[in-house]
Every structure is written in C-alpha cells, then in structure tokens.
C-alpha cells in the first residue's frame, strides 16, 4: 500500500471518530438538563467536602491548636524568667564582673590605660539624621586619644555625601579623631560597609568596636557602662543596649510598633541573655570585642540579617553575649507604612533564611551545649521567627474564619479566645501605658502577619526578594519629625497605586465574606471579630496608616 493511501485511510478514520464524538456530545446535551448538572456538582462537592475538605481542615485546626499551646508555653516560660530576674534583682553586674572606670583617675597616664575603641556609623543617604548621629557619637565620654569615630558613608545622593563630609570635617577641627570613609560600590550593603571599615590600618590598634545606625544617639556614658563588662569578662563578645524611641507618640502606627518592640527587648532579649547568653544582635547600640568578631568570621552578607548571623557564629565559637535592659539608646521608629513594610520584610525573611543556612551548623557545633542548641533552634528560631508568624496569619486570618463555612470543624473557646487573650496581655506588660490600644494592636499585627508570612516563605525557600534590602527612611529628632510629617505637600505626591496592597485587600474581602456568612447562616458571634479584622486588612490594604514619605532603596 502506498504512503498516499495510508494517509487517506488515517484521515478518513480521524474524520469518522470526530463525527462520532460530536454526535455523543449532542446526545449528552439533549438528555442532560441544567438541573442535572447542578445536582451532580452538588453531590460531587458533598462527597469531596466529607472525604477531603473537612478532614483537612480538622487536621489544620489540630495543628494550629498544638502550635498555640507551644507558643503560650514559650511565652509563659519567658515571663517567668523575667519575673525571676526582677524579683531577685539579677542585674548583669551581679552575674558578670564589672568595675567602674573613671577618666579623671587616668589623667596622668593620658588615658593609656583605657582600651582603644572604634565607633562605626554606617550611613546611606542620611541627610536628615547625619548631623545628630555624628554629634552624639563625638560627644561620647572617653579619652580622646583612645577613641576613633569612623563614618562609613555609602550615599549615592551627592548632597547627603557632602553634608556628612562637612560634618566630619567640623568635628575634626574641634579635635575629635573622626574619619570619613567611602567605597566605590555598595556590595553587601551594611555588612559590606562594616567589613570594609574593619580593613583600615588604624583599626588594628582598636580592642573594641561600637556600632550605631544613623538614627541612633547614644548617651555620653555609653562606653563607660559597656566596655568594663568586656574588659573583665574575657568570654564576652558583645554588650548590647536597649532601643528607646523618640517618636513613639507620633502616630498610631508608631505606638503599636513600640508595644511589639518593647516586648522584644524587655522579654525576649533579656531572657536570652540571662539564661543561655544568646540573643540576636540588633545591629546597632552594641559593642563588640574585635578579636571575637574576627574569630567568628567577621561580617557576612549571606543574608539580610548580618547582625543576627554574626551573633549566631560567635555563639557557635563559644563566645557569650550580654544584653543590658537599663542601657537605653535613643532611636527612631519608621512612621511611613511603606518603610515599615520593607523593614518587616527584612526582619522576617532574613531570620528564616539564616535558619535555613545555619541550622545544620548549630546542630554539629562542638562548642555549644545541648541545651543551648535546643534554645537556639527551638525557642529562638522555630518558635519566635517561624511559628509566631505562621500562627498569626494561618490560624487567626485563614483557618478560624473558614470554620463558619464548615460547621463540622470547631475550634475550642480556649484556643479561639482565652489563649490569644492571655498571650496579648503578656505582650502588653512590656508597655502598660499603651494597654488601651490592645485591640488596635491585635488587628494591626494580624494584618501585618500576611506580609511576614510571605517573607518567611521567601526566606525558607530562598526565593523572590530574599536578598532585598531597603533602608528604613528616617526623619530626624521628634520635633523635626513632626514638622516634616505635617507638610501637606508629601500627601499629594503619593500615588494611589503606591498605597494599595492587593493581597491584604483580598484577605479583607475573604474575612468580610466569612463575617457576613456567619451573620446570615452561622450560630456564633465570630462575625464580630471577622468584621473588625477585615476592616484592619482594608485599612492596611489601602495604606491608610502611618505617614507618607518616600523611602530609599539601599
């Protein structure tokens, strides 16, 4: 048989099968009504609901209940540790050796008995705050011959760079040992700038390095309160101070941030320091022993949390870290919502990515006890950096609202109300003066949990914007901040699409639907929470929170 004949036969067979299929479709359409399709779809959904959907939701609820209990136990443990510290007055001076230093007693020696200290101030287009931060560093009380102020300027804005340079020259003329350092690229962002700063020849004569971000203003006695710990305790690598916020009362958003960060410093940092001598370095307001920094591998830009990375590596080398809760350093909270979003993305994505990269090293470390490993992996990373964010969004914003659509799935009252209420009250103890804002804090934190969960996934799976670094915009001291924030011109330059955050709006619609469904068909009062939380997502989704100023990308 010729190829042409074979082709004709195949074409005929294909045409015949096509006609047969079309006749079968017409027969099905003729014999099936719309009501039959709806009935069959309804039966299919009921089977899928009973066999798959409901069991999956019950499993997720059980998983969230377990995580809720784990988180509550973790927070109760931390609360008991803080209560023990306060009750028995376990100040760091009672745990570590500390001997006061007096500059006047060393006048005859010209300050030679004092260790050499390097003060680093990394900057990037910080013209709003550069003057106050450099001034605060230059006013630190320490023998002038034993301190070097190093300003690391990565600015791309010529006006900012020139302003910083002139400020350094002004203080240099007043007798301050200050250097102005720049580099020809911004590789590694802040970690890269700090790493390059440590390469200068004059750093070799320094014993310790204090680090202050551009918006931080240390008190003059900062070194006198921190360095003695390092001098008399050779296993201490870091002494970290507490952040105090000059613009906490500027707007509702800054008040809510202050509540969260007060708990972080008052409880989380203090517990880590007091029990296992490990906590995440906050990247500023701290003094490092340079030998410990170098032995731990120096600054590394493998993640966007170079400060936490260094703290982990130093701990794995056998070094200890100390946090001083009563040593407060003035700083500034982001008052722009977009700036806060960028900051929270980095603060969530970075630790998750670091956990991915360092978990194996923590497990294999021979310089760390089993209990400290457990604390680092379970309490520090797993519970606080992963579970807390996942639970806030998945349970309270997705699964709990979905229970109104599936009456077969129930959440006990203790998990839906009592436990989260107790957790919220524990957090509020860190800032009692704002306890009347608890309801707003819950709604805002839940709305922000979507952003954090998304960032967490990026960090764990190392995808998307995992290495994104956006510098948090700063507006200067409290008075200056208020004056700038009241400028009406800024509001008109904010485009509507820059305000809108689609994912938050979609979750808001979902919560609104669940709330309305509960009102119409449900037999509970969950709609009260659902409607309030949906309004929180809408406020965040449309960006009606905080002030509006342009944030710069690092």
């Amino acid at each position: 048989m010729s190829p042409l004949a074979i082709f004709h036969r195949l074409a005929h067979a294909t045409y015949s099968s096509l006609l047969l299929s079309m006749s079968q479709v017409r027969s099905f359409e003729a014999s099936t009504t719309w009501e039959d399709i709806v009935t069959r779809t309804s039966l299919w959904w009921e089977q899928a609901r009973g066999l798959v959907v409901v069991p999956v939701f019950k499993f997720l609820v059980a998983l969230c209940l377990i995580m809720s209990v784990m988180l509550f136990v973790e927070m109760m443990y931390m609360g008991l540790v803080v209560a023990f510290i306060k009750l028995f007055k376990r100040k760091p001076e009672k745990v570590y050796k500390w001997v006061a230093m007096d500059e006047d007693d060393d006048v005859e020696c010209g300050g030679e008995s004092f260790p050499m200290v390097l003060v680093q101030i990394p900057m990037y287009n910080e013209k709003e705050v550069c003057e106050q931060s450099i001034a605060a560093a230059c006013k630190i009380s320490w023998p002038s011959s034993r301190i070097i102020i190093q300003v690391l300027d990565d600015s791309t804005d010529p006006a900012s760079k020139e302003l910083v340079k002139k400020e350094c020259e002004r203080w240099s003329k007043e007798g301050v040992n200050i250097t102005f350092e720049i580099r020809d690229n911004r590789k590694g962002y802040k970690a890269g700038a700090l790493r390059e700063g440590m390469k200068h020849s004059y750093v070799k004569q320094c014993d310790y390095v204090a680090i202050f971000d551009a918006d931080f203003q240390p008190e003059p006695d900062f070194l006198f309160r921190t360095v003695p710990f390092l001098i008399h305790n050779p296993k201490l690598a870091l002494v970290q101070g507490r952040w105090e916020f000059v613009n906490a009362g500027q707007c509702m958003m800054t008040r809510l941030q202050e509540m969260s960060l007060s708990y972080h410093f008052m409880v989380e940092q203090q517990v880590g320091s007091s029990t296992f001598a490990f906590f995440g370095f906050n990247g500023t307001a701290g003094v490092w022993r340079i030998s410990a920094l170098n032995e731990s591998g120096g600054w590394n830009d493998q993640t966007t949390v170079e400060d936490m990375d260094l703290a982990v590596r130093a701990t794995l080398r056998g070094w200890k870290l100390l946090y001083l809760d009563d040593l407060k350093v003035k700083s500034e909270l982001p008052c722009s919502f977009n700036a806060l979003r960028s900051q929270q993305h980095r603060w969530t994505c970075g630790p998750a990515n670091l956990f991915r990269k360092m978990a194996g090293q923590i497990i294999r470390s021979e310089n760390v006890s089993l209990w400290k490993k457990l604390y680092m992996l379970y309490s520090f990373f797993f519970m606080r950096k992963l579970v807390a964010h996942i639970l806030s969004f998945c349970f309270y914003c997705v699964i709990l609202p979905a229970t109104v659509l599936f009456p077969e799935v129930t959440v006990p009252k203790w998990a839906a109300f009592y436990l989260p209420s107790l957790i919220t009250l524990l957090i509020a103890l860190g800032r009692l003066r704002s306890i009347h804002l608890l309801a707003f804090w819950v709604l805002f934190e839940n709305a922000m949990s979507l952003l954090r969960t998304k960032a967490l996934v990026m960090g764990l799976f190392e995808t998307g914007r995992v290495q994104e670094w956006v510098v948090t915009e700063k507006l200067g001291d409290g008075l200056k901040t208020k004056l700038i924030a009241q400028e009406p011109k800024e509001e008109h330059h904010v485009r509507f699409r820059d305000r809108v955050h689609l994912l938050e709006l979609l979750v808001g619609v979902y919560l609104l639907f669940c709330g309305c469904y509960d009102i119409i068909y449900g037999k509970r009062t969950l709609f009260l929470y659902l409607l309030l939380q949906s309004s929180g997502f809408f406020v965040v989704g449309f960006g009606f929170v905080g002030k509006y100023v342009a944030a710069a990308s690092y």
Side-chain angles (χ1 to χ4, degrees), residues 222-420:
F222 181 86
L223 292 180
F224 278 102
R225 297 182 63 182
T226 54
V227 172
F229 282 107
L230 295 166
I231 292 176
H232 300 292
N233 301 274
K235 292 305 293 180
L236 270 182
L238 164 72
V239 179
Q240 163 82 55
R242 175 176 177 169
W243 297 3
E244 185 179 41
F245 309 107
V246 298
N247 66 330
Q250 182 181 0
C251 62
M252 177 68 76
M253 192 181 79
T254 54
R255 292 286 296 274
L256 300 180
Q257 289 179 72
E258 184 191 31
M259 289 180 66
S260 299
L261 289 172
S262 294
Y263 178 82
H264 167 70
F265 284 104
M266 179 180 176
V267 178
E268 293 178 344
Q269 297 292 75
Q270 192 165 196
V271 168
S273 175
S274 302
T275 54
F276 296 97
F278 169 77
F279 55 87
F281 174 45
N282 296 115
T284 179
V287 185
W288 276 92
R289 187 188 302 274
I290 292 181
S291 59
L293 193 155
N294 292 333
E295 183 185 316
S296 304
W299 295 104
N300 193 320
D301 57 0
Q302 65 174 333
T303 68
T304 56
V305 283
E306 73 293 326
D307 42 13
M308 188 181 295
D309 183 2
L310 179 58
V312 171
R313 286 185 282 115
T315 302
L316 297 184
R317 288 278 185 173
W319 293 97
K320 294 182 179 180
L321 316 178
L322 175 62
Y323 167 74
L324 303 179
D325 189 59
D326 61 348
L327 177 61
K328 299 179 180 180
V329 182
K330 294 179 182 178
S331 62
E332 183 180 321
L333 290 165
C335 59
S336 160
F337 184 56
N338 284 336
L340 176 64
R341 286 176 62 87
S342 299
Q343 181 196 72
Q344 292 300 306
H345 171 84
R346 187 173 77 249
W347 285 5
T348 307
C349 181
N353 192 228
L354 183 63
F355 177 66
R356 168 195 172 104
K357 294 180 176 181
M358 297 295 291
Q361 294 184 39
I362 295 174
I363 293 172
R364 294 189 299 269
S365 175
E366 298 178 356
N367 298 318
V368 179
S369 67
L370 177 62
W371 287 110
K372 182 176 283 192
K373 290 180 182 180
L374 182 62
Y375 175 79
M376 294 174 70
L377 291 171
Y378 176 78
S379 295
F380 183 79
F381 278 111
F382 182 67
M383 290 305 303
R384 300 181 210 168
K385 309 302 180 185
L386 302 182
V387 170
H389 300 315
I390 293 173
L391 191 66
S392 295
F393 177 67
C394 295
F395 185 39
Y396 299 113
C397 301
V398 177
I399 296 174
L400 183 61
T403 59
V404 303
L405 306 176
F406 303 97
E408 306 94 325
V409 182
T410 58
V411 177
K413 282 187 178 181
W414 62 264
F417 179 75
Y418 298 118
L419 209 60

Side-chain angles (χ1 to χ4, degrees), residues 3 51 125 147 154 173-174 176 200 230 243 249 314 333 352 405 521:
L51 295 175
N125 295 341
I147 186 171
D154 275 0
K173 291 178 181 178
E174 294 188 15
V176 176
H200 294 281
L230 295 166
W243 297 3
L333 290 165
L405 306 176
Y521 300 105

Side-chain angles (χ1 to χ4, degrees), residues 1-296:
M1 185 179 293
S2 66
L4 184 61
I6 294 174
F7 173 78
H8 278 298
R9 287 199 174 189
L10 286 173
H12 179 71
T14 302
Y15 178 70
S16 301
S17 62
L18 181 62
L19 289 177
L20 180 61
S21 299
M22 292 178 64
S23 64
Q24 289 175 346
V25 169
R26 293 193 193 98
S27 175
F28 175 78
E29 290 177 347
S31 61
T32 304
T33 63
W34 175 252
E35 288 77 7
D36 292 333
I37 296 175
V38 172
T39 301
R40 291 180 182 179
T41 303
S42 178
L43 289 173
W44 174 85
W45 166 245
E46 288 300 324
Q47 290 178 348
R49 176 191 178 109
L51 295 175
V52 180
V53 179
V54 171
V56 168
F57 263 98
K58 286 184 177 180
F59 170 77
L60 293 176
V61 167
L63 191 61
C64 288
L65 296 184
I66 293 172
M67 289 193 294
S68 296
V69 173
M70 291 167 61
L71 184 62
F72 178 71
V73 171
E74 175 70 14
M75 297 187 71
M76 283 296 296
Y77 156 73
M78 291 192 292
L80 290 174
V81 171
V82 172
F84 176 83
I85 294 171
K86 300 296 183 183
L87 184 62
F88 293 95
K89 298 180 180 180
R90 296 285 293 174
K91 293 185 177 181
E93 291 83 355
K94 292 185 177 181
V95 180
Y96 295 92
K97 185 179 179 181
W98 186 88
V99 179
M101 302 178 68
D102 191 346
E103 186 176 0
D104 295 332
D105 295 340
D106 199 57
V107 173
E108 295 182 0
C109 300
E112 292 301 319
S113 64
F114 278 68
M116 196 74 178
V117 178
L118 175 71
V119 177
Q120 289 186 315
I121 310 175
M123 289 192 172
Y124 176 76
N125 295 341
E126 312 280 7
K127 62 182 178 181
E128 293 84 4
V129 294
C130 66
E131 294 178 350
Q132 66 188 40
S133 61
I134 293 175
C138 292
K139 292 177 182 178
I140 292 178
S141 296
W142 201 253
S144 58
S145 62
R146 310 301 292 169
I147 186 171
I148 302 173
I149 311 296
Q150 186 187 64
V151 179
L152 304 168
D153 191 16
D154 275 0
S155 298
T156 54
D157 175 31
S160 296
K161 190 181 291 290
E162 186 63 25
L163 184 60
V164 173
K165 184 179 180 181
K166 287 183 177 179
E167 190 66 14
C168 292
E169 291 174 349
R170 184 175 77 84
W171 283 100
S172 179
K173 291 178 181 178
E174 294 188 15
V176 176
N177 188 359
I178 185 170
T179 65
F180 174 69
E181 307 291 355
I182 59 174
R183 53 184 183 147
D184 55 6
N185 63 75
R186 302 198 315 277
K187 182 180 179 182
Y189 307 119
K190 180 182 174 181
L194 294 172
R195 184 171 57 237
E196 288 297 315
M198 296 299 294
K199 293 180 180 179
H200 294 281
S201 58
Y202 56 81
V203 176
K204 294 179 181 179
Q205 59 184 305
C206 298
D207 303 292
Y208 309 109
V209 54
I211 303 166
F212 301 102
D213 282 351
D215 59 320
F216 279 72
Q217 304 171 54
E219 295 296 328
D221 64 345
F222 181 86
L223 292 180
F224 278 102
R225 297 182 63 182
T226 54
V227 172
F229 282 107
L230 295 166
I231 292 176
H232 300 292
N233 301 274
K235 292 305 293 180
L236 270 182
L238 164 72
V239 179
Q240 163 82 55
R242 175 176 177 169
W243 297 3
E244 185 179 41
F245 309 107
V246 298
N247 66 330
Q250 182 181 0
C251 62
M252 177 68 76
M253 192 181 79
T254 54
R255 292 286 296 274
L256 300 180
Q257 289 179 72
E258 184 191 31
M259 289 180 66
S260 299
L261 289 172
S262 294
Y263 178 82
H264 167 70
F265 284 104
M266 179 180 176
V267 178
E268 293 178 344
Q269 297 292 75
Q270 192 165 196
V271 168
S273 175
S274 302
T275 54
F276 296 97
F278 169 77
F279 55 87
F281 174 45
N282 296 115
T284 179
V287 185
W288 276 92
R289 187 188 302 274
I290 292 181
S291 59
L293 193 155
N294 292 333
E295 183 185 316
S296 304

